[in-house]
């Protein structure tokens, strides 16, 4: 694993800020876990400063009006509460653009398919498999439904590195906290 | 349209070389004609889909009895070697490359400078207008890039001159042909070719390689040969084709030049280690682009015609394969996997496992720390970014405490351990809920985790502790088998 120490530190800082802002009453463990995870996700997403699509989508989905996490998100983001509002628009715009691109490409592919009716079976099967997996990947990456293929893979790259950092930091925090409670 | 080209072109392999000043339509017809030859052999309809064309080209290669086939198969083998990770992706490329291999056969037409001032990729300039290229190509026998490079030394003195001449040619764009440049022989040829026009088909392979080289560039977009796109770097020095000296070499035997082109594209592919060079080799036209322009030039492939959609798709596919390669480096265990679907599978598994890890760790944190804010500050002071080794040293003694703390949440078997648990809010119902919530996920996670040997032992231990906490001792034994390599796991078992 590549140690992105700078990213790790940034993530940790933001996360701790969020954790501190979060009120931790004697809730059930699940709620606490939810709050921890949420603050971690938001810290991870904000570490990207809105450069990636998934981070924006993550924050916007977390800050959705009417969702349970809204108050938590506002607490965590605090003075930066204006950011989610801005980012809400970005994914929507991107979504519409990406959808247009997807529709266009689908139309083109349909045209091509019409011409080559006798498509070679193995290739079509392979394409189908790949398509299925792409759908799954889209569902995994936050905001992935709005991305075209190229964006999807780029976002996956970034998302994987962020997740790695998140896991590393959380793990070290967990072990350190366990050590601390001894 | 391609049919029309084919009919019009009607250029048999032994047709006399076209003049450099040939019209654009002629040039356009050339690649399509050659493609048609290939495809007709395969009895495939010409206006088929992009991928189908490639497949038909693949099919056509075996039946073809030309010497091209050997070179093509060689090229294909080389290309598969380079782009082995994505066979699905590379196959069309290989097919395409095989199509492009045939142009080698097509005689002087390939060497002709294509009268396409616009579309030709600057990268193509290397091969563009390369009658001398054909000549040089003829000198080399079919073999891998390395040997090819070795033989290029004979052209030493000439090359510099040619290369310089090539560079001086304004027509040659600054297409970056890293692959081409890496091959000295190619450079030599480019220098020779550059002279006449930038339209020789020889530039195709170079163009292809440059096109592929340009792929990583952000400005790269699929386009027909006429489009100009951002050209980030001009790795290829032979951007400007040397005009005059190459003109005389147009009449070189085309068969040899075809072979050479095969090899060049092969060497390009080999040297650059990507399967895109074959695409470059397919460039149908040379482009007369100044190196200073910053856009990527995409050369239309042979037989692909200049359909903007197909070109755009090709470029898009190249981009995707590029990024998949990056992903391969990131995701552990992806190097052995070949094929887009399998790689996507691995990626999906990895992302899912990472997400599950986050869940588990957040749950663990929630259970261990009742007052995170209080602990956070203390943790910060402890420098949580210690190396894994340091953590591992302390992990062994931690095992018992962590395990006990976790066990205390989960089971009633260790009532005395409850006192160790700082969390006083744990209730039985919450514990049960925790069990049900964690158990399935944890089992899955343990299974997926065992696939990733890159995890440090400490990480696995913490996970195993969580797993152990849930299950009875029998299941603990089962789980421990997942981590047979971990001595500490067995140590933990003993402890617990």
């Amino acid at each position: 694993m590549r140690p992105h120490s700078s990213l790790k530190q940034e993530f940790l800082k933001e996360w701790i800020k969020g954790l501190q802002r979060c009120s931790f009453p004697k809730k059930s463990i699940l709620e606490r876990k939810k709050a921890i995870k949420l603050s971690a996700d938001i810290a991870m997403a904000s570490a990207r400063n809105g450069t990636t699509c998934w981070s924006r989508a993550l924050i916007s989905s977390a800050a959705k009006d009417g969702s349970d996490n809204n108050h938590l998100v506002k607490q965590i983001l605090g003075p930066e509460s204006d950011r989610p509002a801005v980012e809400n628009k970005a994914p929507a715009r991107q979504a519409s653009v990406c959808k247009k691109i997807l529709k266009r490409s689908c139309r083109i592919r349909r045209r091509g398919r019409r011409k080559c009716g006798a498509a070679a079976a193995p290739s079509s099967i392979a394409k189908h498999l790949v398509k299925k997996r792409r759908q799954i990947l889209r569902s995994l990456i936050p905001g992935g439904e709005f991305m075209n293929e190229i964006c999807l893979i780029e976002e996956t790259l970034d998302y994987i590195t962020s997740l790695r950092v998140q896991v590393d930091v959380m793990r070290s925090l967990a072990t350190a906290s366990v050590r601390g409670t001894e | 349209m391609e049919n029309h080209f084919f009919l019009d072109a009607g250029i048999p392999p032994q047709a006399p070389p076209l003049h450099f000043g040939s019209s654009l339509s002629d040039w356009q017809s050339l690649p399509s004609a050659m493609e048609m030859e290939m495809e007709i052999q395969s009895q495939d309809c010409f206006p088929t889909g992009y991928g189908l064309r490639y497949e038909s080209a693949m099919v056509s290669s075996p039946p073809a009895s030309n010497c091209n086939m050997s070179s093509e198969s060689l090229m294909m083998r080389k290309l598969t070697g380079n782009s082995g990770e994505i066979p699905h992706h590379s196959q069309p490329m290989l097919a395409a490359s095989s199509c492009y291999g045939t142009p080698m056969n097509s005689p002087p037409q390939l060497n002709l400078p294509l009268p396409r001032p616009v579309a030709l990729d600057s990268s193509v300039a290397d091969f563009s207008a390369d009658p001398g290229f054909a000549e040089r190509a003829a000198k080399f026998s079919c073999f891998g890039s390395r040997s090819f490079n070795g033989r290029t030394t004979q052209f030493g003195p000439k090359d510099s001159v040619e290369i310089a001449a090539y560079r001086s040619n304004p027509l040659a764009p600054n297409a970056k042909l890293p692959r081409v440049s890496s091959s000295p022989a190619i450079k030599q040829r480019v220098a020779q070719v550059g002279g006449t026009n930038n339209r020789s088909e020889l530039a195709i392979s170079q163009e292809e390689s440059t096109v592929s080289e340009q792929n990583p560039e952000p400005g790269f977009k699929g386009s027909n040969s006429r489009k100009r796109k951002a050209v980030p770097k001009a790795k290829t020095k032979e951007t400007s084709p040397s005009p005059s000296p190459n003109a005389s070499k147009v009449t070189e035997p085309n068969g040899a030049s075809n072979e050479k082109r095969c090899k060049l594209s092969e060497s390009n592919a080999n040297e650059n280690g990507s399967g895109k060079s074959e695409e470059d080799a397919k460039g149908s036209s040379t482009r007369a682009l100044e190196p200073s322009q910053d856009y990527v030039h995409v050369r239309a492939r042979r037989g692909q015609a200049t359909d903007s959609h197909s070109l755009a798709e090709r470029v898009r596919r190249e981009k995707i394969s590029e990024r998949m390669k990056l992903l391969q480096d990131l995701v552990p265990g992806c190097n052995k996997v070949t094929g887009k679907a399998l790689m996507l599978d691995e990626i999906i598994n990895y992302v899912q496992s990472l997400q599950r890890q986050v869940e588990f760790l957040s749950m663990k944190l929630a259970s261990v720390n009742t007052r995170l804010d209080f602990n956070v500050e203390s943790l910060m002071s402890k420098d949580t970014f210690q190396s894994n080794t340091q953590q591992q040293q302390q992990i062994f003694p931690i095992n018992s405490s962590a395990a006990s703390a976790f066990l205390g949440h989960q089971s009633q078997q260790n009532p005395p351990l409850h006192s160790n648990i700082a969390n006083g809010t744990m209730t039985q119902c919450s514990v049960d809920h925790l069990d049900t919530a964690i158990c399935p996920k944890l089992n899955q996670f343990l299974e997926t985790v065992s696939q990733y040997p890159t995890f440090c032992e400490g990480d696995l231990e913490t996970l195993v502790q969580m797993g152990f906490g849930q299950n009875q001792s029998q299941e603990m034994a089962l789980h421990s088998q997942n981590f047979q390599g971990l001595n500490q796991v067995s140590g933990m078992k003993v402890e617990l």
Side-chain angles (χ1 to χ4, degrees):
Chain A
M1 290 192 189
R2 273 176 274 153
H4 305 117
S5 51
S6 62
L7 188 63
K8 277 188 190 175
Q9 282 168 8
E10 203 181 321
F11 166 65
L12 185 69
K13 268 186 244 163
E14 303 243 2
W15 188 29
I16 286 172
K17 260 192 276 174
L19 287 175
Q20 285 172 343
R21 285 206 202 107
C22 257
S23 62
F24 275 110
K26 302 297 176 190
K27 297 190 243 180
S28 77
I29 187 167
L30 284 179
E31 286 194 30
R32 268 212 311 282
K33 169 228 165 194
K34 231 167 129 187
I36 290 168
K37 181 163 187 293
L38 183 70
S39 57
D41 287 343
I42 292 175
M44 175 58 52
S46 61
R48 288 293 180 200
N49 291 325
T51 49
T52 55
C53 187
W54 68 265
S55 60
R56 291 195 293 264
L58 195 67
I59 291 181
S60 63
S61 68
K64 246 185 292 180
D65 289 339
S67 84
D68 307 334
N69 306 330
N70 210 5
H71 64 287
L72 271 173
V73 171
K74 284 185 183 156
Q75 279 180 350
I76 288 168
L77 290 174
E80 311 157 354
S81 55
D82 55 348
R83 210 202 293 177
V86 173
E87 291 166 357
N88 274 335
K89 298 174 195 165
R93 250 184 278 121
Q94 264 202 357
S96 56
V97 168
C98 289
K99 276 178 187 164
K100 283 183 197 162
I101 295 170
L102 279 169
K103 282 179 194 164
R104 220 184 299 142
S105 63
C106 283
R107 256 181 272 128
I108 292 162
R109 277 189 215 128
R110 254 181 270 129
R111 264 184 252 136
R113 247 181 255 136
R114 261 181 262 128
K115 291 182 185 172
C116 47
S123 76
S124 58
I125 290 173
K127 282 180 196 166
H128 185 62
L129 285 175
V130 171
K131 200 176 169 185
K132 250 200 233 172
R133 281 160 177 81
R134 265 198 218 114
Q135 293 288 336
I136 297 175
L137 193 62
R138 277 211 180 90
S139 66
L140 281 179
I141 312 282
E145 299 86 15
F146 309 124
M147 302 177 204
N148 57 2
E149 264 188 48
I150 299 168
C151 282
L152 184 69
I153 296 180
E154 287 176 355
E155 296 289 325
T156 309
L157 273 165
D158 197 60
Y159 190 59
I160 285 177
T161 48
S162 312
L163 276 179
R164 264 189 185 169
V165 164
Q166 203 174 2
V167 165
D168 285 344
V169 170
M170 290 177 87
R171 191 178 288 136
S172 56
L173 195 68
T175 53
S177 69
V178 163
R179 241 182 296 143
T181 54
E182 280 179 3
Chain B
M1 183 180 171
E2 293 106 350
N3 285 326
H4 168 73
F5 281 149
F6 178 68
L7 291 172
D8 288 349
I11 302 168
Q14 281 75 35
L18 302 176
H19 285 289
F20 282 119
S22 56
S23 67
L24 189 61
S25 61
D26 289 345
W27 174 81
Q28 275 173 345
S29 64
L30 284 177
S32 56
M34 294 187 243
E35 173 78 7
M36 287 296 286
E37 290 171 9
M38 284 287 296
E39 292 193 345
I40 282 176
Q41 288 173 7
S42 60
Q43 296 174 356
D44 210 350
C45 66
F46 189 64
T48 57
Y50 183 71
L52 277 186
R53 230 172 254 151
Y54 287 153
E55 288 155 8
S56 64
M58 290 281 285
V59 173
S60 66
S61 52
S65 55
N66 306 337
C67 63
N68 292 338
M69 289 309 148
S70 60
S71 56
E72 280 167 10
S73 57
L74 204 72
M75 221 170 50
M76 278 162 57
R77 262 180 270 130
K78 294 280 175 187
L79 293 167
T80 39
N82 289 334
S83 56
E85 320 109 26
I86 308 178
H88 292 291
H89 191 66
S90 60
Q91 266 191 7
M93 289 187 181
L94 289 175
S97 64
S98 63
C99 302
Y100 297 131
T102 45
M104 305 288 186
N105 280 337
S106 84
Q109 298 153 3
L110 294 175
N111 303 334
L112 298 175
L114 301 167
R116 257 215 181 167
V118 215
L120 302 184
D121 194 339
S122 57
S123 63
V124 177
D126 300 327
F127 282 99
S128 65
D130 198 3
F133 178 86
E135 181 190 17
R136 303 225 172 193
K139 291 180 188 173
F140 297 96
S141 60
C142 283
F143 56 90
S145 60
R146 294 175 196 84
S147 51
F148 180 70
N149 285 332
R151 292 187 200 186
T152 62
T153 52
Q154 11 172 330
F155 302 109
K158 276 199 237 170
D159 299 338
S160 56
V161 174
E162 288 173 351
I163 290 171
Y166 193 75
R167 280 186 210 163
S168 60
N169 191 330
L171 284 185
N174 58 342
K176 9 73 156 300
L177 288 179
R179 306 200 182 92
V180 176
S181 54
S182 59
S183 157
I186 298 171
K187 285 182 186 172
Q188 299 162 5
R189 257 175 261 144
V190 171
Q192 281 182 344
V193 173
T196 53
N197 295 323
N198 297 329
R199 295 127 175 216
S200 76
E201 302 233 349
L202 295 171
I204 291 172
S205 55
Q206 288 189 348
E207 278 185 356
E208 297 280 3
S209 57
T210 53
V211 166
S212 58
E213 175 61 12
Q214 295 165 358
N215 281 338
E217 301 302 331
F220 191 80
K221 285 187 289 177
S223 66
N224 57 22
S225 52
R226 294 183 184 233
K227 290 188 198 168
R228 298 187 174 195
K229 300 208 172 169
V231 172
K233 315 170 209 173
K235 279 194 189 181
T236 56
K237 301 168 190 175
E238 49 276 358
T239 53
S240 62
S242 55
S244 42
N246 302 323
S248 57
K249 299 171 184 172
V250 181
T251 56
E252 290 294 334
N254 297 314
S257 68
N258 291 337
E259 290 174 6
K260 290 310 164 186
R261 235 170 271 137
C262 288
K263 275 116 195 219
L264 288 176
S265 57
E266 271 180 342
S267 62
N268 285 342
N270 291 335
E271 286 165 6
N272 295 303
S274 81
K276 295 170 192 166
S277 57
E278 68 244 19
E279 294 180 348
D280 299 339
K282 306 334 179 326
S284 49
S285 64
T286 59
R287 292 170 201 172
L289 304 168
E290 294 83 44
S292 57
Q293 291 169 354
D294 51 288
Y295 31 67
V296 168
H297 303 291
V298 181
R299 179 172 270 201
R301 279 198 199 179
R302 231 93 188 254
Q304 214 53 60
T306 53
D307 184 17
S308 66
H309 289 309
S310 53
L311 275 168
E313 267 204 45
R314 172 161 63 101
V315 172
R316 174 186 147 269
R317 212 170 300 174
E318 288 170 8
K319 267 192 191 171
I320 289 174
S321 66
E322 237 182 84
R323 285 165 177 80
M324 296 282 270
K325 282 182 191 144
L326 289 175
L327 269 174
Q328 260 198 338
D329 302 332
L330 204 61
V331 176
C334 234
N335 302 326
K336 312 148 191 169
V337 170
T338 56
K340 237 193 209 174
L342 293 172
M343 250 176 55
L344 282 173
D345 246 357
E346 288 288 321
I347 291 163
I348 287 167
N349 286 338
Y350 191 57
V351 170
Q352 279 174 341
S353 74
L354 283 175
Q355 285 175 340
R356 274 185 236 130
Q357 276 189 64
V358 169
E359 295 254 349
F360 291 142
L361 285 169
S362 63
M363 180 70 77
K364 180 171 182 184
L365 276 174
S367 66
V368 167
N369 292 314
T370 52
R371 287 174 295 165
L372 269 175
D373 51 353
F374 170 81
N375 287 326
V376 154
E377 285 149 8
S378 60
L379 288 169
M380 280 294 278
S381 63
K382 281 187 186 179
D383 180 19
T384 54
F385 286 112
Q386 289 173 2
S387 63
N388 276 343
T389 54
Q390 289 178 348
Q391 288 177 358
Q392 278 178 3
Q393 289 165 10
Q394 309 185 13
I395 277 173
F396 200 83
I398 288 171
N399 287 352
S400 53
S401 62
S404 62
F406 208 83
L407 278 171
H409 297 163
Q410 307 283 343
S411 69
Q412 312 157 5
Q413 297 172 0
N414 304 311
L417 294 175
H418 272 288
S419 56
N420 296 339
I421 301 164
N423 185 1
T425 61
M426 285 301 294
T427 62
Q428 202 53 45
C429 54
S430 65
V431 167
D432 294 341
H433 191 64
L434 201 62
D435 279 338
T436 53
I438 290 184
C439 198
K441 280 197 231 169
L442 196 56
N443 291 335
Q444 292 174 12
F445 180 68
L446 286 172
E447 283 161 19
T448 55
V449 161
S450 58
Q451 296 173 15
Y452 298 110
T454 56
F455 284 8
C456 71
E457 284 192 354
D459 302 335
L460 282 170
E461 279 179 359
T462 55
L463 297 167
V464 167
Q465 289 168 22
M466 291 159 74
F468 282 9
Q470 287 186 23
N471 304 310
Q472 305 284 334
S473 55
Q474 302 164 0
E475 295 188 8
M476 278 160 52
L478 280 176
H479 281 290
S480 69
Q481 285 171 13
N482 290 338
F483 311 99
Q484 285 171 359
L486 301 174
N487 297 330
Q488 289 183 336
V489 169
S490 55
M492 277 178 51
K493 263 179 70 178
V494 170
E495 276 186 354
L496 296 170

